[in-house]
C-alpha cells in the first residue's frame, strides 16, 4: 500500500513526500480509509506506530473535501472560520507535538490550526482564536476555560479526537472530557486512540462512540521489537554512579531517564550535571516555559539527559532517541510499555535499560508478566550487586519523598 492509494489529496502527499513518509504504517493503512468514510473509530496500536498521522491525515482530507470554508488551490475564505476538528490530548507537550504534526502535514493546505494548553497566558490564545481556526488541539482544562470566555464555539465541530485516551482517564480528565462533549453537536465523528484497551477505555468508548469500528494492531501491552530491553541489577545507592558511568563510557549522546517522583527527577538531573553530564528535568511542577525549554534543548542535542516523570513524557516523540533508562521502575506495569516506547520509533532501533534494585523485584515481576517476556540481564564490571543487601523496610524512605 502507498499513501497514494489511500485517497489523500496531492497537496497532502506532497507534504508527506517531503517528510520522507514513503509508505503508511499498519495502523495508518487501517484507520485512514475508515476515517475518510466518516466512521467512528476505537483504535489501539503500539507506541511509535504513527497514530497521529493516522488521524490527522484523513481529518485534513475530509476538511478540504467536505468543508466549504477550505479548498486547496484557492485563497482561504475571509471571515471567521467554523471550528472543524477538535483534538484533545492529556499533556501540554503532547498537544504541542500533535500541533507540529498538523502543521507539517498541512503545510500546502490553506488551513488554520492552533494549539492551546494551560500553564501559559490565555490572552494570546484568545487573540489567535478570534479569526477562527479549522483544527484546534487542546488539553481539556484550558479548552473549557476558553469556552467559558466565549473565545471558542464548539457547535460547529465535525470531528472529535481523543488521543492517549487511557492516559487522560488516568489523569482524571474524565469530567472535563464529559463537559467538553456536552458542548459538541450530537452529530459528529468520534475517534478514540489509546495505547491500551483497559476496561475503562471500553466503557468510555461505549458511551462516546457511535457504532465504532475497532482497530487494533499488535497485541495489547506488547513492546516493540525494535527496542532491545535489558535489566541491570544494581544496589540502590549506586544507581546514579552506574548511570553516569554508562553514559560516559558508552558515549551516549541522548538518553531519556524516568524517575518515579518529581523530587527524584530534579535531584537526579542535579547530580548528573555535577558529574559533567548536561541534564534537565521535566515534570508537572515545572513552569511551562521550563518544560518547553528542557524538551527543545534535548531534541536539539544541547543536553544529553532528560530526566522525566511518567506524566511529562507520555506520548512524546523524540526523533531517533537511542536510549531510555528506567532509573526507578514504574508502579503501574503498563507505564513500562509507554516509557520504553519513547525509543525504537518509526523505523529506528533503540535500547531500554532498567536499573533495578532489590526493592523493585515485585515491580519487575509484574512488568515481565504483563509483556510476557523475561527481560535479559546486563552486567557492568565494578557494579556487581552486593549480596548482603536486604530489601529496605517497606518503602519507608520513598514515602517521605
Ligand atoms: P504514536 O502516536 O503511534 O506513538 P507517532 O504518531 O508519534 O506515534 O509517530 C511516531 C513517529 O513515526 C513520528 O516521528 C512520525 O513522524 C513517524 N511516522 C509516522 N508515520 C510514518 C510513516 N508512514 N513513515 C515514516 N515515519 C512515520
Ligand atoms: Mg501518539
Amino acid at each position: 500500500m502507498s499513501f497514494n492509494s489511500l485517497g489523500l489529496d496531492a497537496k497532502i502527499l506532497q507534504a508527506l513526500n517531503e517528510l520522507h513518509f514513503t509508505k503508511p504504517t499498519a495502523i495508518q493503512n487501517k484507520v485512514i480509509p475508515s476515517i475518510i468514510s466518516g466512521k467512528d473509530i476505537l483504535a489501539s496500536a503500539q507506541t511509535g506506530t504513527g497514530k497521529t498521522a493516522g488521524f490527522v491525515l484523513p481529518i485534513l482530507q475530509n476538511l478540504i473535501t467536505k468543508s466549504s470554508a477550505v479548498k486547496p488551490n484557492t485563497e482561504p475564505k475571509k471571515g471567521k472560520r467554523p471550528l472543524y476538528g477538535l483534538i484533545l490530548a492529556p499533556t501540554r507537550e503532547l498537544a504541542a507535538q500533535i500541533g507540529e504534526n498538523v502543521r507539517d502535514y498541512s503545510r500546502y493546505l490553506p488551513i488554520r490550526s492552533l494549539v492551546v494548553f494551560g500553564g501559559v497566558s490565555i490572552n494570546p490564545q484568545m487573540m489567535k482564536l478570534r479569526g477562527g481556526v479549522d483544527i484546534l488541539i487542546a488539553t481539556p482544562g484550558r479548552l473549557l476555560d476558553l469556552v467559558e470566555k466565549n473565545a471558542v464555539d464548539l457547535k460547529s465541530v465535525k470531528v472529535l479526537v481523543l488521543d492517549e485516551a487511557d492516559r487522560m482517564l488516568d489523569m482524571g480528565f474524565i469530567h472535563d472530557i464529559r463537559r467538553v462533549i456536552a458542548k459538541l453537536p450530537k452529530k459528529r465523528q468520534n475517534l478514540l486512540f489509546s495505547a491500551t484497551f483497559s476496561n475503562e477505555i471500553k466503557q468510555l468508548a461505549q458511551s462516546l462512540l457511535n457504532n465504532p469500528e475497532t482497530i487494533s494492531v499488535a497485541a495489547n501491552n506488547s513492546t516493540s521489537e525494535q527496542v532491545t530491553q535489558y535489566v541491570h541489577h544494581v544496589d540502590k545507592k549506586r544507581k546514579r554512579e552506574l548511570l553516569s558511568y554508562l553514559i560516559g563510557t558508552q558515549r551516549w549522546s541522548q538518553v531519556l531517564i524516568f524517575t518515579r517522583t518529581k523530587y527524584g527527577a530534579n535531584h537526579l538531573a542535579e547530580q548528573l550535571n555535577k558529574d559533567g553530564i548536561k541534564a534537565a528535568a521535566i515534570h508537572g511542577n515545572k513552569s511551562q516555559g521550563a518544560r518547553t525549554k528542557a524538551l527543545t534543548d534535548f531534541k536539539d542535542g544541547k543536553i544529553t539527559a532528560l530526566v522525566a516523570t511518567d506524566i511529562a513524557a507520555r506520548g512524546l516523540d523524540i526523533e531517533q532517541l537511542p536510549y531510555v533508562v528506567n532509573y526507578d521502575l514504574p508502579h503501574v506495569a503498563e507505564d513500562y510499555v509507554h516509557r520504553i516506547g519513547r525509543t525504537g520509533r518509526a523505523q529506528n532501533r533503540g535500547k531500554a535499560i532498567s536499573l533495578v534494585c532489590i526493592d523493585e523485584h515485585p515491580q519487575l515481576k509484574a512488568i515481565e508478566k504483563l509483556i510476557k517476556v523475561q527481560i535479559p540481564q546486563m552486567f557492568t564490571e565494578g557494579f556487581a550487586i552486593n549480596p548482603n543487601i536486604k530489601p529496605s523496610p517497606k518503602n519507608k524512605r520513598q514515602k517521605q519523598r
Side-chain angles (χ1 to χ4, degrees), residues 3 21 23-25 28 46-52 317 345-346:
F3 279 112
F21 282 23
K23 57 182 217 299
T25 63
Q28 289 166 359
Q46 281 168 230
T47 51
T49 52
K51 290 191 282 296
T52 319
D317 180 48
R345 293 169 78 76

Side-chain angles (χ1 to χ4, degrees), residues 61 80 176 203 218 247 282 299 312 323 331 333-334 374:
Q61 181 60 34
K80 185 153 178 157
D176 284 352
Q203 269 175 16
I247 295 174
I282 185 165
K299 287 185 173 176
Y323 295 99
H331 271 313
E334 279 84 5
Q374 198 181 4

Side-chain angles (χ1 to χ4, degrees), residues 236 239 260-261 328-332 357-363 390-401:
K236 190 175 192 162
K239 279 190 179 184
R260 226 168 22 76
T261 63
D328 304 313
L329 283 184
H331 271 313
V332 182
C357 67
I358 196 157
D359 295 350
E360 293 172 307
H361 285 189
Q363 282 123 280
K390 302 232 162 29
S392 53
K394 212 172 178 317
N395 287 344
K396 207 166 130 212
R397 268 197 59 217
Q398 292 165 4
K399 281 240 174 70
Q400 290 167 358
R401 298 183 162 186

Side-chain angles (χ1 to χ4, degrees), residues 12 19 75 89 136 152 255 279 289 292 328 354 392:
I12 300 176
L19 293 165
E75 285 291 303
L136 184 64
V152 59
V255 53
T292 307
D328 304 313
S354 299
S392 53

Side-chain angles (χ1 to χ4, degrees), residues 176-193:
D176 284 352
I177 291 172
R178 295 217 181 274
R179 282 175 62 203
V180 170
I181 289 172
K183 297 184 191 304
L184 297 173
K186 290 249 151 30
K187 197 170 163 293
R188 56 167 201 270
Q189 186 178 22
N190 300 291
L191 313 174
L192 199 154
F193 283 78

